[in-house]
Amino acid sequence: KGDPCRSVVAARGIGLHKGLRASIGLALVSTAVSLVAAELAYRASLEARYRAEISRFTSDTWQLVPDSPLIFRLPAGHEGRMRMVGADGDVPYRTNADGFRDPTRGVKRHGVPRVLVLGDSYTFGWGIADDEPYPQRAEALLREGGIDAEVINAGVPGYNTEQEAFLLDQLLPRYKPDMVVVGYVMNDAEPQMNVPQPPGRTYRYAISWAWEDARELVMRRLLGAREWASPNKSVPDFSYAQGFDERSRKWRESKAALSGISVGCRRAGIPLLVMILPDFTQPFDAGYPDTIIHRAVTAWGEELGTETADLMPVFQGLDHRPFSVPGDGHPNARAHEVVANALRDRIVERLRLGPAR
C-alpha cells in the first residue's frame, strides 16, 4: 500500500499547480483585456482629435470630403490665388462647376474627341496662369493644327494615384472621354498632405495604432533614428524613392490604383496613357534620385498592357532651373509647353486624328 502522507503531498502539489495555471491564465486574460481597452481608447482619442481638427479646418483652397476616399477636392466655381514663396505675387486661378481648373464642359459633342487628364499639382499647373497648364496647352496646340478636340484638366493638387483612381470612377460616366491620361509624378505613391489625414488611412495596415506610435517614439527619441517611420503607417517618406523600396507598401498601393485605372479604361473601351513627369526640383543629371520610380512605372505599364511616356529623356542633361517656378519647384510654363507638345503628339497618334503641325 502507498504512503498516505505522500499521497496528500502529491494532491496538494496538483492543486497548487492548477491554481498557478488558473492565476496565470487570469493574468493573461486581464492583460489582454487591458491592452484591447487601451487600444480602443487610443483609437477613439485619435478619431476625436481628427474630428475636432476638421471641424476647425478652414481653407480657401481645399474642400474636405472626409467620408470619401477622395478626402478633399477643390471647391466648385471658385476664384482663388496660389500663394507662391519667393515669387513676385500670388497667382490667380479659377475652377469650373466641377471643381477643376478647366473651362465648363457641356455635353460631349459628336465628332469632337475628348481627352481626360488626371493628375496632381503638376497637371493643375501650380504657379502658372490658367491657360498655361499642359492639358490646356495641348488642346490649344491641337486646334492650331486644325484638330477640334477637348483636353480636360482634372488635376487636383495633392492627389495621389489612389485618389485619381476614385476620381476616374466618378468622371468616366460624366465626361465620356475618348482617352484618359494620367500625369504620374514622383510623389504619387505618397499619402496626401494637403488636409488632415483620417486616422483610418494613416494606420491602414497597423494592427495596433498605439504600438506603432510607441515604436516610432522609441526609435526616434531613444535610439536616435530620426528618419525612421513605421512600415505599417501611411506617412510621407523623407525621399520619394523610399516608397519604391522592395518592402514598401506605397508602390504596391500606387500600382494597384494604376491597375484599377487601366481596368476601368479597358472596360470603357478607351485608351490610357501614363505620362511620367520628372521632379523639377532635382538636377537632370546622372545623380537624379528618382530613376527607380521612372523605371518602375514604365515596367508597370508593360505589365498592365498600358502605354507609358517617360518624359525624363526629353529633359535629361538640361539645367532644371529654367523649367521650374522660381522659389517653388513646380514646372513652369516653359516645362508645361514641352509636356503639352509630347501629349499633343500622343493624342494625335493614339486617336488617329491625322498629322499634327
Side-chain angles (χ1 to χ4, degrees), residues 30-257:
S30 299
T31 301
V33 170
S34 298
L35 288 174
V36 170
E39 175 68 20
L40 293 176
Y42 188 69
R43 292 190 180 204
S45 69
L46 291 182
E47 291 284 359
R49 186 187 305 170
Y50 168 69
R51 292 294 171 184
E53 192 174 2
I54 63 175
S55 70
R56 298 189 300 267
F57 182 82
T58 57
S59 173
D60 294 333
T61 307
W62 319 116
Q63 178 182 336
L64 292 177
V65 280
D67 295 322
S68 165
L70 294 177
I71 305 176
F72 70 94
R73 64 190 317 152
L74 295 170
H78 178 66
E79 294 188 12
R81 302 189 72 85
M82 291 171 273
R83 296 176 175 84
M84 309 305 297
V85 178
D88 293 336
D90 296 346
V91 179
Y93 68 91
R94 293 184 178 184
T95 62
N96 62 17
D98 292 327
F100 300 126
R101 194 182 191 186
D102 195 76
T104 299
R105 309 285 182 169
V107 177
K108 189 174 183 297
R109 293 178 290 157
H110 178 72
V112 178
R114 174 174 278 185
V115 179
L116 176 65
V117 185
L118 303 171
D120 63 359
S121 55
Y122 273 36
T123 299
F124 174 85
W126 194 265
I128 58 178
D130 283 339
D131 61 345
E132 293 178 327
Y134 71 86
Q136 279 87 333
R137 288 298 305 141
E139 180 175 299
L141 290 170
L142 286 167
R143 291 182 175 172
E144 289 171 12
I147 298 172
D148 188 11
E150 294 180 331
V151 183
I152 299 174
N153 187 343
V156 180
Y159 269 19
N160 57 30
T161 323
E162 289 187 289
Q163 290 167 292
E164 291 160 10
F166 286 116
L167 181 61
L168 181 62
D169 288 341
Q170 297 179 2
L171 298 185
L172 272 180
R174 180 177 181 83
Y175 284 122
K176 297 179 173 61
D178 299 290
M179 178 178 177
V180 170
V181 177
V182 172
Y184 197 96
V185 179
M186 297 299 98
N187 65 350
D188 276 8
E190 296 293 321
Q192 69 81 27
M193 297 180 290
N194 288 10
V195 303
Q197 175 92 334
R201 300 291 296 177
T202 300
Y203 298 87
R204 58 194 302 185
Y205 296 113
I207 296 175
S208 168
W209 297 7
W211 165 250
E212 297 302 334
D213 282 353
R215 186 163 63 139
E216 203 167 84
L217 182 64
V218 169
M219 292 295 294
R220 292 184 177 183
R221 297 286 180 85
L222 299 183
L223 301 182
R226 296 183 179 181
E227 295 186 0
W228 191 90
S230 166
N232 298 320
K233 288 173 61 178
S234 183
V235 294
D237 273 320
F238 288 89
S239 75
Y240 303 144
Q242 281 183 263
F244 281 75
D245 180 88
E246 183 180 353
R247 296 164 295 179
S248 177
R249 287 191 171 99
K250 291 183 177 179
W251 69 264
R252 301 178 195 277
E253 295 164 358
S254 186
K255 180 182 178 182

Side-chain angles (χ1 to χ4, degrees), residues 3-19:
D3 185 344
C5 292
R6 184 179 298 175
S7 299
V8 171
V9 170
R12 288 179 178 175
I14 293 173
L16 288 172
H17 182 63
K18 288 183 177 179

